[in-house]
Amino acid sequence: MCVRSLLPLLLIGTGILTLEHLKSGKTVTGIDISKVSLEILKDKAVDYSDMLTIIEADATNLDMLKDESYDGASSMMAAHLIPDYEAHIREAFRLIKPGGTFVITARTRGGDPSILVDIDKDSLITSGKFAELEDDFKLV
């Protein structure tokens, strides 16, 4: 069974994590605002082109993708580079199915990671998903 994963690799992504997901048999949608980054990803994933969809887009506005259409989402070292990182996080939560996983790694402005944690928590509370995920909700 194929698992769909959304990997918003914004600005500087070159597909390191995407390639690992592809190698494990997952179907992946790779998103980046940078055409150069997407070309690097495309070259790396040439053997997996049938499992990879590449979209050049801003991760704060992914209206072309349907709500709750992915089992997981990952934002690797991107959120801190996006001026409206709250919209980026909301989009990720919109796209994952109930019970899906969202993994985010980022630096925070001013060095305060609680900013991103609070945004994630507020999004989960608003969507009604926080109670079921509270035990997994951690700042590491």
Side-chain angles (χ1 to χ4, degrees):
M1 181 171 111
C2 286
V3 176
R4 298 192 76 192
S5 298
L6 171 69
L7 300 172
L9 305 168
L10 226 47
L11 299 175
I12 56 170
T14 58
I16 294 167
L17 185 59
T18 302
L19 194 57
E20 292 305 312
H21 282 297
L22 291 167
K23 287 178 181 178
S24 72
K26 292 179 176 74
T27 301
V28 178
T29 300
I31 297 172
D32 200 307
I33 199 166
S34 166
K35 187 175 284 198
V36 172
S37 292
L38 292 173
E39 287 299 320
I40 292 169
L41 169 60
K42 188 176 176 181
D43 289 344
K44 285 182 180 180
V46 70
D47 293 337
Y48 303 95
S49 60
D50 58 327
M51 299 164 55
L52 176 64
T53 301
I54 295 176
I55 300 173
E56 183 180 347
D58 179 341
T60 65
N61 182 4
L62 300 170
D63 290 342
M64 76 292 284
L65 301 173
K66 295 191 321 189
D67 293 0
E68 299 181 357
S69 57
Y70 293 88
D71 292 322
S74 176
S75 175
M76 306 308 290
M77 298 306 290
H80 64 282
L81 300 172
I82 303 169
D84 189 1
Y85 58 88
E86 293 173 346
H88 166 53
I89 293 168
R90 281 192 302 273
E91 279 293 84
F93 278 116
R94 178 183 69 79
L95 294 170
I96 60 175
K97 296 174 185 174
T101 301
F102 177 45
V103 176
I104 182 170
T105 60
R107 294 185 176 144
T108 56
R109 296 180 187 119
D112 183 3
S114 67
I115 294 168
L116 291 173
V117 173
D118 290 343
I119 293 166
D120 288 345
K121 183 176 180 180
D122 290 344
S123 294
L124 288 171
I125 291 168
T126 300
S127 69
K129 298 177 183 177
F130 185 72
E132 68 185 79
L133 299 172
E134 188 170 5
D135 291 340
D136 295 328
F137 196 78
K138 297 177 184 123
L139 175 61
V140 198

